[in-house]
Amino acid sequence: MDPLCKMKWWQKAVFYQIYPRSFADGNGDGIGDFAGIISKLDYLQDLGIDAIWLSPHYPSPNFDCGYDISDYTGVAEEFGNLALFQEFLEGAHQRGMGVILDMVLNHTSNQHPWFQESCSSRDNAKRDWYIWRDGRPGGPPNNWNSPFGGSAWEWDEHTGQYYYHFFFKEQPDLNWRNPEVKEAMFSAVRFWLDRGVDGYRLDAIGTIYEHPDMPDHPVAMSGTELRRELEKAETPERRHELLCLWKEMEKYQVEQPGMHELMQELRGVIDEYDDKLLIGEDEKIAYHGDGTNELHMVFNFPLIRTEVLTPNWIRNNQAQRIKALEKISREAWPCNTLGNHDSPRIWTRYGDGKHNAEQARLFLALMLTLKGTPFLYNGEEIGMTDLYLDDISQFRDTLGLLYYQAQVNELGLMPLDALQRAARLTRDKNRTPMQWDNTANAGFCPEGTVPWLPVNPDFAMGVNVQEQETDRQSLLNFYRNLLKLRKSIPALIAGGYEVYHPRNPRILSFLRQIPGQTCLVALNFSAEKAGLYLPDVPGEIKVWFSSENTSCEIRPGKQIRLGPFGMVIVELL
Ligand code: GLC
C-alpha cells in the first residue's frame, strides 16, 4: 500500500508562513492585507507549497505587531474584513492549499473589552478573567520577570492591584483556571473552524499557566541584570550557563502542571471537526500527549539554537528529537524550520557572507529532505536578508524600541551606538515588506506610499520575485524545482530517517526509506570539496537531483565529490 495514503495532509505538506502586514498591499495604504494576499495565491500555488500559516490577522492595537489581539473573531480593519478573509481562505482551498491561523491563547491585548472590564473594578464579573494580585510592601507580588523586559507585574492605580503579564504589559495574561475564559477562547477557536480553516499554530503555548502559589524564583539576579550578562557573554559556555539561569528564573511561569489536560481539552475541540491541525510554539515536545490526544506537532526550535549549522549539530538534534518522538508514539510527527517572524533571516544568520547563495539552497534541501513537516517563512525563497534600520523613528517592534531606550537611558550609550545595537536585535529587520519586483517599494505597495516598514534596498539587486522568475538559475526557481521534486519522491515525505556516515564533519548524509524506495541525501556543509562513498548496493543508483558542483560517477560503492555546499539526492535501486 502507498505509504502516503496513510498519512495526514499536514504530515505531507510544506507550510509557508505569511506575515500579513508585510506580504502584499492590495489597497495602497502601505500595509499588507487580504486583497494583497489574494492577488498572490497563484504565486504561492506555483511555488509549490501546500499550506499557509497566517500570522495574526485579528484587530489589534499592534503593540506587539498583532500578537496582542483585541477581538478574536474579527479581522483587522487594515487587513480587510470577514468577507475578504473568506475569499482568501476559499481561494487557497481552491488551489489545494490549507490554511492555519495563529491563535494567541496566553494573553489578550490590554485594549480587549474583556480586560477593560476586568480593570474597571475589583468586583467586575470579568475581574477573574485575568490574573490580579495584591502587592507586597513596596512592590509587586513576587520577583517574576517578563522576558520582554522588567517585572511581569503591572500596577493598576484604579483598582489598587497588580496584574500579571508574561510578555509586554500591554498583553495581560488570561486566567486559564477560570472556566469562563476557557469557554470564551474555545468558542473563538470554533469560530474560525466553522469558517473552514484547517487548524492553528498556537502562540507561546507553554506560558498559559503560572504556579498557583506564585512563589519567588530562586535566582539572585534581576532579569535586566541577567540580560546584560547575556549580552556580554563571550563564550558559548558562559551563554549556556546564563540561559540555564534564565530557565530557572522562569520556572514558575512556564510549563506548569495542567498543560496536558488543557491541550487534551483543546484537541477535543479541534476533533469536533475533520482532520484539523494543532501545532505548538514551544521548546518542549511533551505536548504531543500520547501522540494522538494533544498537539499534532511542536516546532523543532532546538535545531536553530545555534549560530552555525553543522552536520554534527543537525545529526545530534535529529537523533534526540526523533528518538524522543518515537518514545511518545508512532503518531508523533516531527516538524522543522530554520526561521520565522521572530528570528533573523536564514540568509543573514546562517550564511557565511561568501557563499550565501549556495547555502540558501543547501538549507532548503535540508528542510525538504529531513523527516517531518517543513515550515518556510515568506521571502526566504528569494533570499531576503535582514535590514538593519538606521533611524529609530522607523522601528515598529516594541521590543527593539524598548531596548534602544534602555541602552540610552539606563546604560548611557550614545544614541548611534544604541541604534546600531537595537537594529540588530529588533524583529523589524526580518519583517520588512516582501519584494515582488524592482519598481518603487519593490512592488509591495504603490510608488509614493510609505510602507509600514522600509523596504530592503536589496530588492534592486535581484532580490525580488519578478526578476528571479525569469532567471532559471535563481533561488526562487531552485525552491520551485525542489518543492516539486519532493512531491515526486515518496520516501522523502514518508520515509524513516537513518544517518549515513555519522561522523563525517563536512557532509550530512542520511537515508530516507519506505518499502520499495530508499533514498540517500548528501549535503556538504563546508566551503571545501568533500567526498563520500556511496553504499555498495547490488542495483544501480538513480540520481534525482545533484548540484552542478557535484562530480564523479555516481555509482554503487564509488566515491562522489561534492563541491562547496554541494548536494545530491539519489535513489538506491
Ligand atoms: C510569540 C510570537 C511573538 C510574540 C510573542 C508574544 O512568541 O511569535 O512574535 O511577540 O509570542 O505574543
Side-chain angles (χ1 to χ4, degrees), residues 28-238:
D29 63 357
I31 299 173
D33 49 37
F34 279 116
I37 302 177
I38 292 165
S39 73
K40 301 298 182 189
L41 286 174
D42 286 337
Y43 165 78
L44 294 175
Q45 189 183 22
D46 287 348
L47 183 60
I49 55 118
D50 308 288
I52 295 167
W53 151 27
L54 184 70
S55 278
H57 67 281
Y58 317 91
S60 161
N62 281 306
F63 198 82
D64 188 19
C65 280
Y67 284 90
D68 46 331
I69 299 172
S70 54
D71 173 5
Y72 281 82
T73 55
V75 171
E77 225 176 276
E78 68 266 37
F79 293 163
N81 52 37
L82 210 49
L84 278 165
F85 170 85
Q86 205 71 41
E87 193 181 327
F88 150 69
L89 181 63
E90 278 153 27
H93 283 166
Q94 278 156 14
R95 290 167 181 80
M97 296 181 285
V99 174
I100 65 166
L101 301 182
D102 223 311
M103 184 45 81
V104 186
L105 300 175
N106 177 67
H107 51 269
T108 68
S109 156
N110 63 346
Q111 304 300 310
H112 196 296
W114 299 340
F115 188 68
Q116 300 285 308
E117 278 188 54
S118 188
C119 280
S120 63
S121 76
R122 284 198 190 199
D123 51 17
N124 181 276
K126 294 220 165 41
R127 183 66 170 179
D128 187 48
W129 280 41
Y130 293 84
I131 298 162
W132 294 94
R133 292 287 185 279
D134 292 328
R136 290 192 297 211
N142 64 26
N143 65 357
W144 293 0
N145 294 290
S146 160
F148 279 7
S151 165
W153 295 97
E154 183 66 14
W155 173 247
D156 175 50
E157 192 61 50
H158 179 61
T159 57
Q161 277 191 314
Y162 287 85
Y163 67 84
Y164 175 71
H165 56 93
F166 186 79
F167 296 100
F168 293 122
K169 65 180 185 338
E170 288 76 7
Q171 296 169 298
D173 273 45
L174 282 162
N175 176 13
W176 275 86
R177 292 202 171 88
N178 181 331
E180 288 173 12
V181 165
K182 214 187 274 181
E183 261 330 292
M185 293 304 281
F186 285 176
S187 91
V189 166
R190 287 192 184 94
F191 178 87
W192 299 101
L193 292 171
D194 287 339
R195 267 146 200 84
V197 304
D198 301 289
Y200 290 103
R201 173 254 187 198
L202 301 178
D203 187 71
I205 194 66
T207 58
I208 275 204
Y209 286 122
E210 301 70 40
H211 192 296
D213 304 335
M214 306 212 146
D216 274 340
H217 66 68
V219 181
M221 249 189 258
S222 77
T224 316
E225 281 161 354
L226 185 48
R227 201 162 307 119
R228 287 208 186 117
E229 286 300 311
L230 261 170
E231 268 181 37
K232 285 193 286 182
E234 276 174 3
T235 60
E237 291 73 28
R238 176 71 179 146

Side-chain angles (χ1 to χ4, degrees), residues 23 40 102 208 280 301 320 331 389 397 453 481 491 543 551:
F23 196 61
K40 301 298 182 189
D102 223 311
I208 275 204
F301 286 138
Q320 283 171 16
E331 318 280 326
L389 300 173
D397 177 11
L453 263 180
N481 294 338
V543 182
S551 58

